[in-house]
Amino acid sequence: MGDYLHIFMFVAAFAALLTGYHVALTLGGIALVFAALGVAFDVFEPRALIFWPSRILGNMSNQVLAAVPLFVIMGVVLEKSRVAEDLLNATGRMLAGVKGGLGYSVVLVGALLAASTGIVGATVVTMTLIALPSMLQQGYDKRIATGTIAASGTLGQIIPPSIVLIVLADTISNANAQARQTMGQPPSPVSAGDLFSGAILPGLLLVGLYLAYLALMAFIKPNSMPARSKTADADLGIETPSPARTAFAFIAPMTLIIAVLGSILGGFTSPTEAAAVGAIGAILLAGIRMRMDESNPGWLMKISLAGAGSLILLILTVWGIKLGIVGNLPQDAPPSDFFTQSAFGKIYASSICGLIVAGIVASLFTLSNQKKLQISLNGAAEVTSMVFLILICAGLFSIVFRGLGGDEFIEHMLVNIPGGMWGALIVTMIVMFFMGFFLDFLEITFIIVPLVAPPLIMLGADPIWLAILMAINLQTSFLTPPFGFALFYLKGAAPPEIETPDIWHGAIPFIGLQMIALLAVMFIPQLVTTLIS
């Protein structure tokens, strides 16, 4: 029996997770139980457990994972401050009079929210609460409306900066190091920036496929996607926003996205540094947005605006230094040299940073006064705690599973599948797809990926390409009935007249589009590798 404990351990963990027990505690508890059984059957060396504390300390000092709480804060603050709602309403007005215009708005705003929040659940719930009532009131078919919202919400899985990609980057990097060590090759690190670059074209491909499908439906069944009346706001007694308010709705999130992604993809900052910029920028934008609701915004809004402008100026300065336009520094010199080696640089940095700090304080005061700060911080703390608790307990699970010989079993099974790398990849994709029905992406990333990725890399799979395939696959399983998590999020926030079969039928066409994207990335690796420097 001891020779099969690794199989029993995996089955027991899967069964326990299906019962609804807390994920992290389930993984940790199952690991301890099977560690004890392994010691009893003399197939597990208890000294292996001494690596667990060092793994926890390693996670605490991991610069890639440090980006997770910062991106979570960025997404939660933007969600709670109604920046997303303003963006959707402004886009809907812009496309008024166009058949299917509100559907296009949902897809476009879903893509922008994915690039600014990276949290699938938050995006789906936000879009459901904001867009679904408007779509139903406008006469949209329930299936098209719900399918569009669910699919657009899952774009947060693949469009950077995505929490999925950050976690996958750390896992794939470790798997790649393990595979190369086994093959006797020098290490070749995989960064979160590499995955962000690799995910851009597949993400845009998905957005294009969604828009093309909606355009086709608007042509074939125009009554299912009627145009929004240009006087819809007036008919409902809603005051048309001022041009300044409309401009802010577009410019604010776009500026934040460009600042964060541009810094990462341009090689100006690491993902963690860009995440800090994103969190600060989100707080500043939220403070400005909340003050815009007041008849007399006052001096706090001016300070927040000054802070936001200073942050943009600081980002542009750092970009200029990196490009050699500002400072005339030697090649590869850190940007900090510009701010420390001259009197002007010191005064400039002090002034800019002082304004940014003042803007942050003003925005935090505004959010606190509007009862949004505590809600945002609580939400961010819950998501972050969940991620890292699962990560810690998954580390214990991995140590015990490997100690029982589970990694060797998985490697032997994949290597001996007919078809070589392609056969093993297809089987892995199918297994992960069905796992996604029952397990969250964190559980799959922390449990399944470390087991299957090293053998696939040793068989010849490019680690970045493999990670993007896994991300798209998980995105598809998030949308697939009857267990897709995005469908549960949507149903929980939808009005009573939306029934579960409507949601399921609406999601099916978008699942087909995601499968097309998955196959395209699988057979055209250049979609992933083109933008990687």
Side-chain angles (χ1 to χ4, degrees), residues 2-11 34 401 404-407 409:
D3 294 336
Y4 301 99
L5 277 182
H6 53 277
I7 298 177
F8 296 143
M9 180 181 179
F10 191 86
V11 173
F34 277 85
F401 188 77
L404 294 173
D407 57 337
F409 173 78

Side-chain angles (χ1 to χ4, degrees), residues 345-356:
K346 293 177 182 178
I347 296 172
Y348 178 80
S350 300
S351 303
I352 290 291
C353 292
L355 288 173
I356 294 173

Side-chain angles (χ1 to χ4, degrees), residues 13 66 84 175 211 272 278 298 313 315 325 347 353 363 423 434 456 463 469 532:
L211 293 174
T272 304
L313 188 59
I315 292 169
I325 301 172
I347 296 172
C353 292
S363 294
F434 286 106
L456 289 172
L469 282 176
I532 299 175

Side-chain angles (χ1 to χ4, degrees), residues 41 138 149 291-292 336 351-352 373 480 501:
F41 284 99
Q138 193 171 308
I149 290 174
R291 283 290 168 185
M292 293 178 73
S336 58
S351 303
I352 290 291
L373 180 60
T480 304

Side-chain angles (χ1 to χ4, degrees), residues 42 120 133 296 367 388 396 409 434 484:
D42 198 26
V120 171
N296 183 21
L367 290 172
F388 282 94
L396 177 60
F409 173 78
F434 286 106

Side-chain angles (χ1 to χ4, degrees), residues 228-521:
R228 173 190 171 106
S229 170
K230 295 184 178 181
T231 61
D233 288 348
D235 296 340
L236 295 173
I238 300 174
E239 183 179 352
T240 302
S242 65
R245 182 71 171 266
T246 302
F248 179 82
F250 282 110
I251 295 174
M254 288 301 299
T255 302
L256 187 62
I257 292 167
I258 292 172
V260 174
L261 287 184
S263 297
I264 297 172
L265 301 179
F268 306 125
T269 63
S270 69
T272 304
E273 293 165 340
V277 171
I280 293 172
I283 291 171
L284 291 170
L285 293 182
I288 297 169
R289 167 62 182 80
M290 300 306 294
R291 283 290 168 185
M292 293 178 73
D293 283 339
E294 300 182 3
S295 57
N296 183 21
W299 55 273
L300 284 173
M301 181 173 175
K302 295 178 182 178
I303 295 177
S304 296
L305 281 169
S310 299
L311 180 63
I312 294 172
L313 188 59
L314 180 61
I315 292 169
L316 292 176
T317 302
V318 173
W319 289 7
I321 294 171
K322 284 283 192 177
L323 293 173
I325 301 172
V326 177
N328 297 320
L329 296 176
Q331 190 174 10
D332 297 329
S336 58
D337 287 356
F338 171 76
F339 303 113
T340 58
Q341 294 184 358
S342 68
F344 171 76
K346 293 177 182 178
I347 296 172
Y348 178 80
S350 300
S351 303
I352 290 291
C353 292
L355 288 173
I356 294 173
V357 171
I360 293 172
V361 172
S363 294
L364 289 174
F365 180 82
T366 299
L367 290 172
S368 178
N369 193 45
Q370 297 283 345
K371 310 298 183 185
K372 298 294 185 181
L373 180 60
Q374 192 63 44
I375 295 174
S376 299
L377 293 179
N378 287 343
E382 288 175 3
V383 174
T384 303
S385 300
M386 176 191 68
V387 171
F388 282 94
L389 184 58
I390 294 175
L391 175 61
I392 290 170
C393 292
L396 177 60
F397 184 92
S398 176
I399 289 172
V400 176
F401 188 77
R402 292 178 187 278
L404 294 173
D407 57 337
E408 297 176 0
F409 173 78
I410 296 292
E411 178 182 340
H412 182 267
M413 181 179 66
L414 289 177
V415 168
N416 287 280
I417 289 176
M421 187 272 288
W422 285 104
L425 178 65
I426 291 172
V427 170
T428 300
M429 290 292 109
I430 293 173
V431 170
M432 289 185 67
F433 178 78
F434 286 106
M435 285 283 188
F437 289 176
F438 310 102
L439 304 181
D440 190 75
F441 76 89
L442 289 172
E443 300 152 36
I444 294 176
T445 302
F446 292 142
I447 301 173
I448 308 299
V449 175
L451 298 176
V452 300
L456 289 172
I457 294 172
M458 286 189 287
L459 287 170
D462 178 82
I464 300 174
W465 172 70
L466 179 62
I468 300 303
L469 282 176
M470 289 177 172
I472 298 175
N473 194 358
L474 290 176
Q475 179 186 0
T476 304
S477 63
F478 255 63
L479 195 61
T480 304
F483 303 111
F485 283 91
L487 308 183
F488 289 130
Y489 293 141
L490 195 155
K491 178 58 179 175
E497 62 265 29
I498 298 297
E499 299 179 354
T500 299
D502 295 325
I503 299 175
W504 289 3
H505 283 94
I508 290 174
F510 292 94
I511 296 170
L513 297 175
Q514 290 188 346
M515 295 303 295
I516 292 173
L518 179 65
L519 292 173
V521 172

